[in-house]
């Protein structure tokens, strides 16, 4: 039985047309905002990726075993080493991976981008604005909207100076993209320093930060009571939880939340810093205005704690807040430090192409995307007629009109059925009669009309008018 690996899928011609429409829309806006394209390899050294995403990321990474004779040699060497080493036996899985693998499939586009910047820092003009549209791989549990191979569309800015206008630009960029797609969104925003300030005033120990944020990020999914239960099981006291839970339940607008947080964080320097940042972004965005986007402060948003250092962003469809996120991002001012480059600041957004596709399919937003593999089919009447028609075929292709020639001189009805079945809207017939009269006969299959033309330019005008 033939099957695909779990978490992967095939794409039909129509699906590719829709995906290309998304990619082109996103790429156009990336470039209008001044982002330049780069690409990085599908395979990275494990040392580049491991430790950047936390324990979960390290677990979900597709690690590649050494291949060919090299694998055999390494495997035999590994067996010899563990034979008399009890420590290696006790840590068999870890030792095996370290010994048998030194590369992995790209887990995301951000870490490879930072690696690229560090390696090419002497060639890059800073601030550096880049975009990437490439696949990534994660050994996640496959389910709807969660594949093991999927495309990300990233736009990032990296610089030796720090500016919150970069966040504002990214929010404006998302607004432009989803306005072009006629797809209203909500961008949830939060700040790591505000969360650290809340942890500080709640008296939660630093070693519990990871457990606090991991549980907190589930607030809108599983609710207050289950989050509290999970936090208590990790060692966070009920008193500490109750000191800050009020803020995560607030449903009021930004200014109401800001008023409460200003009072609560008055003795937390780090908390006040995060609040100042968000206030700057929110007020400037309000002055500039957004078209198809609602910016909403979600105080329980706690994503990407392993490398985000400031603002955090999450994007969801406006029509369905409970839908899996279709994008996210944030500020990562210390990520380059792990590669040995200090005092450099980074911020970016990542859009999930496959999730955007799924969300737009649900709302039937691809109505304007057609699946025309070709605009015209030329009927094959035989070698002599085809040779005559080929001048016209080449002319149409040079004009950018996708044109097919039916390969065999089969029955005319069969050739027309082929055009119908493949959504080819026009059929051109040049048989002996047309050659003798110096005419071009074209049929519009949608309108079921047929017309003869004296001039190829008139045919081009008719076809381009329909494009």
């Amino acid at each position: 039985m033939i099957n695909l690996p779990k978490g992967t899928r095939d794409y039909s011609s129509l699906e590719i047309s829709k995906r290309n429409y998304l990619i082109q829309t996103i790429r156009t806006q990336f470039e209008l905002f001044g982002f330049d394209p780069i690409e990085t390899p599908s395979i990275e050294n494990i040392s580049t990726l491991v430790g950047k995403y936390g324990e979960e990321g390290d677990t979900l990474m597709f690690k590649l075993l050494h291949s060919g004779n090299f694998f055999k040699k390494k495997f035999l060497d590994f067996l010899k080493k563990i034979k008399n080493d009890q420590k290696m036996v006790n840590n068999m899985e870890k030792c095996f991976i370290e010994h048998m693998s030194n590369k992995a499939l790209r887990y995301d586009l951000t870490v490879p981008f930072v690696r690229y910047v560090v390696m090419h820092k002497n060639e890059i003009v800073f601030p550096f604005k880049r975009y990437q549209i490439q696949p990534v791989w994660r050994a996640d549990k496959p389910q709807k909207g969660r594949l093991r191979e999927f495309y990300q569309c990233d736009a990032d800015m990296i610089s030796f100076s720090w500016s919150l206008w970069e966040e504002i630009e990214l929010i404006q960029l998302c607004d432009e993209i989803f306005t072009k797609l006629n797809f209203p969104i909500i961008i949830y925003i939060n700040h790591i320093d505000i969360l650290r300030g809340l942890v500080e005033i709640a008296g939660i120990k630093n070693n519990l930060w990871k457990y606090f944020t991991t549980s907190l990020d589930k607030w809108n999914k599983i609710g207050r009571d289950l989050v509290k239960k999970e936090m208590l099981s990790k060692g966070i006291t009920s008193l500490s939880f109750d000191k800050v839970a009020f803020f995560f339940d607030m449903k009021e607008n930004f200014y109401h939340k800001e008023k409460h947080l200003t009072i609560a964080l008055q003795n937390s320097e780090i908390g006040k810093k995060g609040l100042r940042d968000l206030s700057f972004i929110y007020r400037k965005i309000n002055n500039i205005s957004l078209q198809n986007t609602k910016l909403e402060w979600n105080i329980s948003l706690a994503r990407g704690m392993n490398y985000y250092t400031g603002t955090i962003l999450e994007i969801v469809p406006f029509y369905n807040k409970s839908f899996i996120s279709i994008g996210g991002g944030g500020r990562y001012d210390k990520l380059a430090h792990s590669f040995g480059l200090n005092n450099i600041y980074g911020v970016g957004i990542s859009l999930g192409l496959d999730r955007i596709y799924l969300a737009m399919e649900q709302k039937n937003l691809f109505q304007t995307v057609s699946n025309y593999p070709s605009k015209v089919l030329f009927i094959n009447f035989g070698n002599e007629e085809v040779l005559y028609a080929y001048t016209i075929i080449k002319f149409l292709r040079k004009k950018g009109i996708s044109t097919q020639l039916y390969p065999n001189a089969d029955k005319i009805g069969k050739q027309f059925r082929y055009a119908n079945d493949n959504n080819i809207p026009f059929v051109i017939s040049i048989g002996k009669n047309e050659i003798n009269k110096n005419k071009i006969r074209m049929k519009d299959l949608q309108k079921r009309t047929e017309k003869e033309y004296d001039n190829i330019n008139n045919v081009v005008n008719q076809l381009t008018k329909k494009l």
Side-chain angles (χ1 to χ4, degrees):
M1 187 176 184
I2 300 174
N3 284 311
L4 284 171
K6 287 185 178 180
T8 64
R9 57 161 301 182
D10 294 320
Y11 294 93
S12 68
S13 297
L14 179 57
E15 288 168 327
I16 290 293
S17 295
K18 293 175 180 178
R19 284 162 62 86
N20 285 344
Y21 163 73
L22 289 179
I23 289 171
Q24 187 55 47
T25 303
I26 293 167
R27 178 184 286 119
T28 298
Q29 294 306 312
F30 280 173
E31 293 180 355
L32 282 173
F33 274 69
F35 292 88
D36 293 320
I38 68 164
E39 288 191 358
T40 57
S42 301
I43 301 170
E44 293 277 354
N45 289 324
I46 283 183
S47 57
T48 298
L49 304 178
V50 166
K52 309 301 191 302
Y53 311 102
E55 291 178 14
E56 183 183 28
D58 292 347
T59 302
L60 298 180
M61 206 175 291
F62 275 107
K63 300 175 181 71
L64 305 177
L65 295 176
H66 295 303
S67 58
N69 290 332
F70 191 57
F71 173 84
K72 182 178 178 181
K73 181 181 175 183
K74 283 282 185 179
F75 185 63
L76 292 173
D77 186 37
F78 171 74
L79 292 177
K80 288 176 185 177
K81 283 190 175 184
I82 66 167
K83 188 174 181 181
N84 298 311
D85 191 331
Q86 191 59 42
K87 285 185 178 179
M88 286 186 72
V89 173
N90 293 339
N91 296 282
M92 180 76 76
E93 182 181 355
K94 181 182 177 184
C95 292
F96 179 81
I97 291 172
E98 289 176 352
H99 206 78
M100 302 306 299
S101 175
N102 62 1
K103 297 177 183 66
L105 289 176
R106 182 175 52 215
Y107 184 83
D108 77 345
L109 298 177
T110 305
V111 171
F113 164 60
V114 175
R115 188 267 308 151
Y116 175 94
V117 169
V118 173
M119 288 184 66
H120 298 271
K121 61 183 181 294
N122 295 325
E123 308 154 28
I124 290 171
V125 177
F126 292 93
F128 182 44
K129 298 174 70 174
R130 85 83 175 85
Y131 76 84
Q132 277 176 265
I133 301 175
Q134 288 186 274
V136 299
W137 293 266
R138 294 181 188 176
D140 214 341
K141 183 179 179 181
Q143 51 188 291
K144 190 172 185 179
R146 194 181 294 276
L147 298 169
R148 287 178 170 174
E149 179 187 52
F150 54 96
Y151 266 75
Q152 288 187 332
C153 309
D154 282 23
D156 290 78
M157 310 180 205
I158 203 156
S159 175
F160 287 105
S161 59
W162 182 88
S163 171
L164 289 171
W165 280 104
E166 292 174 329
E167 276 90 337
I168 293 168
E169 276 280 271
L170 290 175
I171 293 168
Q172 290 287 334
L173 171 60
C174 290
D175 183 47
E176 286 293 337
I177 289 170
F178 287 97
T179 297
K180 295 294 182 186
L181 295 175
N182 192 29
F183 184 6
I185 59 167
I186 299 173
I187 298 180
Y188 292 122
I189 189 168
N190 202 18
H191 202 292
I192 298 288
D193 290 345
I194 291 173
L195 295 178
R196 290 197 179 278
L198 290 173
V199 164
E200 185 181 340
I201 66 171
I204 297 171
K205 296 178 181 178
N206 288 336
N207 65 326
L208 297 177
W209 163 256
K210 171 187 169 183
Y211 303 117
F212 173 78
T213 53
T214 301
S215 299
L216 178 61
D217 198 49
K218 303 173 186 175
W219 190 276
N220 291 326
K221 287 189 175 73
I222 65 176
R224 174 192 179 113
D225 293 340
L226 289 178
V227 168
K228 181 176 183 179
K229 183 179 179 181
E230 190 173 295
M231 286 190 181
L232 294 181
S233 72
K234 299 296 184 180
I236 296 166
T237 67
S238 181
L239 179 62
S240 292
F241 176 86
D242 292 339
K243 282 183 179 180
V244 292
F246 162 77
F247 302 108
F248 309 125
D249 269 333
M250 285 195 294
K251 305 297 182 188
E252 293 81 4
N253 65 26
F254 178 88
Y255 300 106
H256 184 91
K257 293 174 183 177
E258 181 187 38
K259 179 181 176 182
H260 282 280
L261 264 298
T262 299
I263 296 169
L265 298 172
Q266 59 185 318
N267 295 318
S268 170
E269 290 304 316
I270 193 168
K272 287 192 288 186
K273 192 265 181 188
L275 200 55
R276 284 195 302 272
D277 288 354
L278 274 199
S279 179
F280 179 90
I281 293 168
Y282 199 86
R283 283 172 167 77
K284 295 298 181 286
I285 284 287
N286 269 358
N287 287 332
I288 298 169
S289 78
L290 299 170
Q291 305 167 77
N292 224 13
T293 299
K294 180 183 179 184
L295 184 64
E296 186 173 317
W297 184 8
N298 179 1
I299 305 174
S300 66
L301 181 61
R303 300 289 171 88
M305 295 295 108
N306 294 294
Y307 60 66
Y308 288 145
T309 57
T311 47
I312 326 166
L313 303 170
E314 183 182 36
I315 305 168
V316 299
F318 186 86
Y319 66 84
N320 186 357
K321 293 183 181 182
S322 62
F323 192 89
I324 48 179
S325 67
I326 56 175
R331 178 164 286 279
Y332 48 88
D333 290 340
K334 295 180 181 178
L335 191 53
H337 178 72
S338 63
F339 292 102
L341 188 60
N342 299 321
N343 302 316
I344 194 163
Y345 306 94
V347 62
I349 55 106
S350 179
L351 305 177
L353 183 72
D354 302 274
R355 290 187 177 182
I356 294 172
Y357 180 99
L358 180 62
M360 289 185 63
E361 275 282 76
Q362 287 188 358
K363 295 299 287 184
N364 198 25
L365 294 176
F366 285 113
Q367 294 179 15
T368 59
V369 181
S370 61
N371 181 33
Y372 290 157
S374 294
K375 187 74 173 177
V376 184
L377 174 72
F378 271 71
I379 295 296
N380 189 326
F381 287 98
N383 294 336
E384 184 181 338
E385 291 87 346
V386 167
L387 198 58
Y388 178 91
Y390 227 92
T391 303
I392 301 171
I393 292 172
K394 289 179 72 174
F395 185 87
L396 293 180
R397 286 172 178 166
K398 283 182 180 180
K399 292 293 183 180
I401 298 168
S402 178
T403 305
Q404 279 195 51
L405 167 71
Y406 196 84
N408 301 306
D410 288 335
K411 291 181 178 179
I412 304 302
K414 182 178 180 180
Q415 296 187 50
F416 269 90
R417 279 196 301 274
Y418 173 85
N420 267 316
D421 292 344
N422 284 279
N423 297 315
I424 300 173
F426 293 94
V427 171
I428 290 180
S429 303
I430 301 181
K432 284 186 169 53
N433 287 337
E434 286 74 30
I435 294 172
N436 291 334
K437 294 190 296 182
N438 198 24
K439 299 283 187 180
I440 301 168
R441 183 155 48 94
M442 184 167 72
K443 185 169 185 176
D444 184 331
L445 297 186
Q446 293 175 331
K447 292 184 176 180
R448 297 186 178 183
T449 58
E450 190 171 69
K451 186 176 179 181
E452 282 190 340
Y453 294 87
D454 298 317
N455 191 303
I456 184 61
N457 290 314
N458 293 336
V459 174
V460 170
N461 289 338
Q462 183 67 15
L463 291 171
T464 52
K465 187 169 65 175
K466 301 281 184 177
L467 284 170

